[in-house]
Amino acid sequence: MAQFKGVFMIQLYGGQQTRAAIVRWYLEELGIPYEFVVMDMKAGAHKQPDFLAINPMGKVPALVDGEVKLWESGAILLYLADSQEKMPEDAGARGQVYQWVLFANSTLPQAMTGEAKETQLPKLLTALDAALTGKEFLVGDTLTVADVAMASILSYAQMLFQIDFSPYSAVQSYLGGMTERSAFRKGIMGQD
Ligand SMILES: N[C@@H](CCC(=O)N[C@@H](CS)C(=O)NCC(=O)O)C(=O)O
C-alpha cells in the first residue's frame, strides 16, 4: 500500500480524461496526500484482475483508503467528505448535499443527450438557476462535495455536449467561480 510519512496514503485510480478528475478536484481541495494512479485504459488495464479486485465493475474512478475500496464518483466524494469531517453537522443540510450529488450524477446528465436535451434539460437548468441565484455554493456558505459534483458535470456539459449556459446567469456565474479555484484547474483541467 502506498505510504506518506509512514501513513497509508489514499490511492485514486483513473485514466486520461475520465471522471477520476472529479475526485481529484476534491482531493486537491482537501489538501491531503494522495497517489493518482493513471491506468492505461486503452490497453485495458481497468479490466485486469488486479484492478477488478478494487472495482469489479471495471470502471474508474476507484479509491483505496487503507482497507476501504470504493467506486462511483459520487459515493467516493461523499465518503471523502464524511471521513475528512467536511459534511455539514445539520442532518437537513447533509440531506441537501446527498440530494445535489445524486442529482448531478444521475438526473442532470441523463437530460443532456437525445430528446431530453431539448425537453427536460431547460426545465432542470431553470430550477438550478433559481436555486443558485444569489448564492456562491449549493449548500451553506462554503464549498461542499455537492459543488464538486455539480460544477464538474456542468463543465463537462459545456466541453462535451456544447451546452450553452448563457440563458442561466446564476448557473454561469456559479460555474465561473468554481473554475477559478486552483484545485478545480488542477483536478478537472489537469493543470499541474
Ligand atoms: N457513474 C460512474 C461512471 C463510471 C464510468 O463509466 N467511468 C468510465 C470513465 S469516465 C469508465 O471507466 N469507462 C471504461 C469502461 O466502461 O470500460 C461514476 O461516476 O463513477
Side-chain angles (χ1 to χ4, degrees), residues 117-184:
K117 189 174 172 184
E118 312 305 326
T119 55
Q120 275 289 314
L121 189 61
K123 292 177 190 147
L124 299 182
L125 290 176
T126 300
L128 178 63
D129 201 57
L132 282 170
T133 298
K135 293 181 71 180
E136 192 178 347
F137 304 104
L138 279 167
V139 183
D141 56 6
T142 187
L143 182 113
T144 67
V145 279
D147 300 301
V148 175
M150 180 64 74
S152 301
I153 294 306
L154 294 175
S155 74
Y156 288 144
Q158 271 183 332
M159 286 188 278
L160 302 177
F161 302 118
Q162 288 76 48
I163 289 168
D164 174 21
F165 293 126
S166 58
Y168 312 101
S169 59
V171 171
Q172 208 167 31
S173 103
Y174 168 78
L175 185 56
M178 293 295 155
T179 59
E180 280 170 16
R181 301 178 76 93
S182 62
F184 176 98

Side-chain angles (χ1 to χ4, degrees), residues 56-76:
M57 302 298 168
K59 292 180 186 293
V60 299
L63 185 105
V64 178
D65 183 12
E67 298 301 314
V68 177
K69 296 185 179 90
L70 279 176
W71 40 273
E72 278 293 328
S73 59
I76 296 170

Side-chain angles (χ1 to χ4, degrees), residues 18-19 41 46-47 58-61 72-74 105:
T18 67
R19 292 168 67 90
M41 294 178 71
H46 57 307
K47 305 295 179 192
K59 292 180 186 293
V60 299
E72 278 293 328
S73 59
N105 277 28

Side-chain angles (χ1 to χ4, degrees), residues 14-51:
Q16 298 295 344
Q17 294 174 333
T18 67
R19 292 168 67 90
I22 301 172
V23 178
R24 193 171 180 220
W25 171 15
Y26 193 51
L27 286 165
E28 289 293 328
E29 292 282 355
L30 289 170
I32 55 175
Y34 67 95
E35 180 188 5
F36 186 31
V37 182
V38 183
M39 292 187 297
D40 186 351
M41 294 178 71
K42 281 194 184 138
H46 57 307
K47 305 295 179 192
Q48 299 305 310
D50 53 347
F51 182 70

